[in-house]
């Protein structure tokens, strides 16, 4: 817990600058002409450092780590700065290990019955996290999400995790990611393209999936939680900022050389087209589906469940069978070509934008022993055959790029026809 | 009395071997439909049959049935991964074992290639999907690619 805190600059009004930009949208791309108006409005610090290193467990490859400050609602002194939080564009909302905020008293979010709301989040790995939803002021650079609902990952749960939320059932379950050693981080900062982590389904028990629970008398049952900005579902904190709240830019100006790098550095910048450091520039806009997918075409086959995800630590695509036996000898699930392999694919957004890109894959068994944390050319299977494969553009995709994530329902000047948000690069 | 009935119901279901479907007979699909509070739509394809169960919670589970009446594959597309213990039955064991042995792949898809089970789990928050099939139960002249 820290007792000092930087002062928060009041919300900057950027209408003058936004109004001075003329955007011409065509085919999803946009070009802009800037007409400077004077004087420039006061700007909010909207940039957080991203570090790629092996993380607190000294074994994390391609993890984007940032520091997050959380305070008791309304307090400027009862705060904790939590380092080593993973920045994840594949999820929505801030989740912190209970030990990282143990010095704070954070009020519970309750359901209509007055019972504290608990949440269970499953991963594609079938591991899960479980714990209460609480309110906190979330500070990221000069931006604040006031009284935001955040998820506390219980290291010693108050209630046993309900079996209905563990896909593999209560016997022989995969581990709960409820410690630094199992999570590899102190938490997850979900800054993907939705405002909430569930949405309308969770607002009614007749449609709610096994995600939000309350536990009167110790028995946990699925409960309804509204989408309200406070005292409701867990929100992507960016969508709660008073400015720079329409998305994020993840910027890694330098690419990583073949063979990897010990570490890498980048920035998580809030807002899109709201300040001089987050202009779309020449980036192409790719609209996403209602489940945040777009289509990747490779060798004439379309993979419609493809996506960009800073929470995935590699390119996960195709499968070793399709690729003619690229499976590594030592590291199962990774690709090990004898010489670097190049792949050229075309991504197509729901708004019709299409563009090609090329990436390379090197031998993971050779790279892994370097002990480096940053690799721009590692990959593994996404499925088992053409019908289950897709392209997951993980952290290597972000190196040497500016990647924007537009939040569904928010306005970005010059961008239209993307009801479920977008990626731009 | 009501409590007693509930206890009996739980006992009965707990004892039923066909609670789960993969590798079981087609009749077990109805138990999944009940569990998901879903609607079952049956369609025929070349050499097999599909049950597509749509739940009010936005989950779509498809079960693939051979001409012999056995479920040889299941797939799902849902806001959260459905209860795989119920869908996979005894085939959950290799998935549980593999889930505990994952290393270095972080946040990516999860794939299991066991002796008689091929399993994939993919996607991201608010959009999960996956499938599983039993190679030895695949009907003649039906490609595993149909399970998706």
């Amino acid at each position: 817990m820290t007792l000092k805190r930087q002062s928060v600059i009041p919300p900057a009004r950027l209408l003058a600058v936004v109004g001075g930009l003329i955007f011409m949208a065509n085919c999803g791309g946009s070009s802009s002409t800037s007409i400077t108006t004077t004087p420039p409005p006061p700007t909010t610090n909207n940039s957080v450092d991203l570090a790629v290193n092996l993380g607190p467990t000294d074994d994390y490859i391609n993890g984007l780590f940032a520091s997050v400050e959380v305070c008791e609602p309304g307090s400027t002194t009862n705060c904790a700065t939590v380092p080593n939080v993973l920045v994840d564009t594949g999820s929505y909302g801030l989740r912190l290990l209970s030990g990282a905020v143990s010095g704070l008293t954070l009020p519970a979010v309750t359901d209509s019955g007055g019972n504290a709301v608990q949440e269970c989040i499953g991963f594609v790995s079938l591991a899960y996290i479980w714990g209460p939803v609480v309110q906190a002021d979330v500070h990221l650079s000069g931006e604040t999400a006031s009284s935001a609902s955040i998820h506390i990952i219980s290291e010693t749960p108050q209630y046993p995790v309900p079996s209905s939320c563990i896909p593999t059932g209560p016997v022989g379950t995969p581990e709960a990611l409820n410690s630094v050693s199992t999570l590899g981080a102190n938490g997850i900062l979900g800054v993907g393209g939705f405002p909430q982590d569930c949405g309308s389904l969770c607002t009614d028990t007749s449609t709610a999936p096994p995600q939000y629970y309350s536990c009167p008398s110790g028995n946990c049952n699925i409960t309804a939680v509204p989408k309200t900005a406070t005292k409701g579902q867990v929100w992507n904190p960016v969508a709660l900022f008073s400015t720079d709240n329409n998305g994020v830019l993840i910027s890694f100006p330098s690419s990583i050389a073949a063979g990897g790098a010990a570490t890498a550095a980048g920035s998580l910048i809030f807002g899109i087209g709201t300040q001089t450091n987050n202009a779309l520039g020449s980036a192409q806009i790719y609209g996403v589906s209602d489940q945040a997918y777009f289509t990747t075409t490779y060798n004439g086959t379309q993979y419609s469940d493809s996506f960009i995800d800073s929470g995935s630590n590699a390119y996960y695509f195709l499968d070793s069978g399709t690729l003619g036996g690229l499976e590594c000898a030592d590291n199962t699930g990774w690709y090990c070509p004898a010489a670097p392999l190049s792949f050229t694919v075309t991504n197509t957004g729901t708004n019709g934008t299409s563009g090609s890109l090329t990436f390379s894959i090197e031998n993971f068994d050779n790279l892994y022993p370097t002990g480096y944390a940053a690799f721009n050319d590692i990959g593994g299977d996404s499925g088992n055959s053409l019908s289950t494969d897709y392209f997951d553009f993980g952290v290597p995709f972000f190196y040497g790029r500016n990647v924007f994530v537009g939040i569904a329902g928010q306005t970005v000047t010059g961008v239209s026809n993307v009801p479920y948000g977008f990626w731009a690069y | 009395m009501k409590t007693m009935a509930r206890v009996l119901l739980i006992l009965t279901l707990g004892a039923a071997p066909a609670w789960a479907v993969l590798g079981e007979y087609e009749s077990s699909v109805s138990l999944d439909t009940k569990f998901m509070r879903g609607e079952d739509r049956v369609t025929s394809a070349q050499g097999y049959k599909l049950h597509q169960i749509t739940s009010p919670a936005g989950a779509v589970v498809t079960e693939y049935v051979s001409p012999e009446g056995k479920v040889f594959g299941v797939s799902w597309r849902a806001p959260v991964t459905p209860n795989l213990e119920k869908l996979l039955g005894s085939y959950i064991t290799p998935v549980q074992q593999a889930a505990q042995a994952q290393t270095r792949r972080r946040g990516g898809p999860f794939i299991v290639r066991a002796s008689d089970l091929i399993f994939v789990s993919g996607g991201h928050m608010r959009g999960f999907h996956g499938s599983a099939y039993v190679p030895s139960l695949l009907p003649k002249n039906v490609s595993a690619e149909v399970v998706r």
Side-chain angles (χ1 to χ4, degrees):
Chain A
M1 182 156 66
T2 56
L3 295 176
K4 70 160 185 62
R5 216 173 64 63
Q6 79 260 44
S7 65
V8 176
I9 297 164
R13 290 285 163 223
L14 297 162
L15 292 176
V17 163
V18 172
L21 295 175
I22 300 165
F23 283 90
M24 290 175 290
N26 52 6
C27 298
S30 64
S31 57
S32 64
T33 307
S34 177
I35 301 164
T36 310
T37 54
T38 50
T43 54
T44 304
N45 176 7
N46 66 338
S47 180
V48 165
D49 290 342
L50 293 177
V52 178
N53 53 51
L54 294 174
T57 52
D58 210 27
D59 67 352
Y60 211 112
I61 293 169
N62 282 344
L64 308 189
F65 293 102
S67 278
V68 179
E69 188 190 42
V70 290
C71 300
E72 293 176 5
S75 175
T76 55
T77 51
N78 293 340
C79 300
T81 298
V82 184
N84 291 319
V85 176
L86 275 173
V87 173
D88 178 19
T89 64
S91 70
Y92 322 98
L94 177 63
R95 301 164 207 286
L96 297 173
L97 285 168
S98 53
V101 289
S102 57
L104 303 182
T105 303
L106 300 174
V109 169
T110 54
D111 65 7
S112 60
N115 298 299
V117 171
Q118 314 289 318
E119 188 174 32
C120 182
I121 293 292
F123 294 76
V124 288
S125 64
L126 306 183
Y128 65 90
I129 56 180
W130 165 248
V133 178
V134 300
Q135 296 174 64
D137 289 352
V138 178
H139 299 286
L140 289 155
S141 61
E143 315 276 3
T144 299
S146 297
S147 294
S149 289
I150 69 169
H151 187 194
I152 300 300
I153 306 166
S154 295
E155 296 181 50
T156 49
Q158 185 182 1
Y159 305 103
V161 60
S163 60
S164 60
C165 92
I166 311 173
T168 51
V171 181
T173 54
E175 61 195 343
L177 303 181
N178 61 357
S179 62
V180 175
S181 63
T182 51
L183 194 62
N186 287 322
I188 300 169
L189 174 61
V191 292
F194 286 117
Q196 307 94 17
D197 68 353
C198 180
S200 299
L201 285 174
C202 288
T203 62
D204 191 319
T205 50
S206 70
T207 57
Q211 182 168 336
Y212 285 106
Y213 292 81
S214 66
C215 309
S217 329
N219 295 317
C220 299
N221 295 303
I222 293 171
T223 192
V225 181
K227 291 194 291 182
T228 47
T230 58
K231 301 181 181 176
Q233 295 179 18
V234 171
W235 272 61
N236 176 347
V238 177
L240 294 173
F241 294 162
S242 55
T243 58
D244 306 315
N245 54 17
N246 56 0
V248 297
L249 159 61
I250 291 181
S251 177
F252 278 89
S254 306
S255 51
I256 305 287
T263 59
S267 305
L268 170 64
I269 297 167
F270 304 111
I272 299 173
T274 58
Q275 296 203 35
T276 52
N277 64 354
N278 59 19
L280 279 165
S282 59
Q284 293 280 104
I285 313 292
Y286 296 84
V288 301
S289 70
D290 60 350
Q291 292 192 331
Y293 294 124
F294 65 3
T295 297
T296 300
T297 304
Y298 174 70
N299 256 359
T301 301
Q302 294 189 337
Y303 300 89
S304 58
D305 287 332
S306 297
F307 55 91
I308 296 170
D309 178 15
S310 72
S312 297
N313 70 342
Y315 289 105
Y316 292 108
F317 67 107
L318 303 174
D319 65 272
S320 55
T322 308
L323 292 172
L326 284 190
E327 193 80 14
C328 293
D330 296 340
N331 291 287
T332 309
W334 292 91
Y335 289 146
C336 279
L341 267 186
S342 176
F343 296 87
T344 298
V345 302
T346 299
N347 288 333
T348 306
T350 54
N351 56 339
T353 304
S354 214
S356 71
L357 67 101
T358 299
F359 62 91
S360 287
I361 295 298
E362 282 195 275
N363 187 307
F364 187 77
D365 279 353
N366 291 346
L367 293 176
Y368 177 69
T370 60
Y372 288 170
F375 298 104
N376 74 334
D377 47 12
I378 57 174
D381 311 49
S382 68
N384 185 64
S385 66
L386 287 181
S387 76
T388 52
D389 290 344
Y390 58 89
F391 282 74
D392 171 354
F393 296 91
V395 166
F397 175 79
F398 289 79
Y399 294 140
R401 274 198 176 86
N402 281 340
V403 180
F404 297 84
V405 183
I407 298 174
Q410 307 281 68
T411 301
V412 176
T413 308
V415 177
S416 60
N417 199 23
V418 287
Y420 303 109
F422 65 88
W423 296 306
Y425 58 89
Chain B
M1 196 59 208
K2 203 173 172 186
T3 311
M4 194 61 172
R6 243 183 231 153
V7 168
L8 281 174
L9 182 70
I10 289 164
L11 285 175
T12 311
L13 292 177
W19 176 241
V21 285
L22 190 63
E24 301 288 342
Y25 284 100
E26 187 177 3
S27 57
S28 65
V29 174
S30 66
L31 293 170
D32 280 335
T33 309
K34 204 168 161 184
F35 175 74
M36 290 174 62
R37 296 177 293 145
E39 281 176 28
D40 184 9
R41 194 165 60 90
V42 188
T43 52
S44 287
Q46 189 104 37
Y48 65 100
K49 198 158 72 171
L50 299 90
H51 285 265
Q52 194 165 76
I53 309 166
T54 305
S55 86
V60 179
V61 168
T62 309
E63 313 200 348
Y64 301 79
V65 180
S66 69
E68 291 76 37
K70 280 205 168 176
V71 179
F72 65 88
V74 297
S75 67
W76 59 93
R77 182 167 284 276
V80 305
T81 304
N83 189 315
L84 299 176
E85 192 192 19
K86 289 194 163 47
L87 275 182
L88 304 188
S90 59
Y91 290 95
I92 194 69
T93 308
V95 175
Q96 289 170 336
Q97 289 165 347
Q100 288 169 318
Q102 294 178 87
T103 51
R104 294 177 196 131
R105 282 172 63 115
R106 305 261 195 176
F110 173 43
I111 300 147
V112 181
R113 297 185 183 95
S115 58
D116 205 20
L117 178 78
I118 302 295
F119 173 93
V120 298
S121 161
H124 50 213
M125 182 179 264
R126 292 183 62 160
F128 291 83
H129 53 83
S131 63
Y133 69 90
V134 180
S136 65
L137 294 179
L138 272 179
K140 280 194 179 68
N141 303 321
V142 171
S143 162
E145 301 264 315
V146 304
V147 181
R148 55 182 302 173

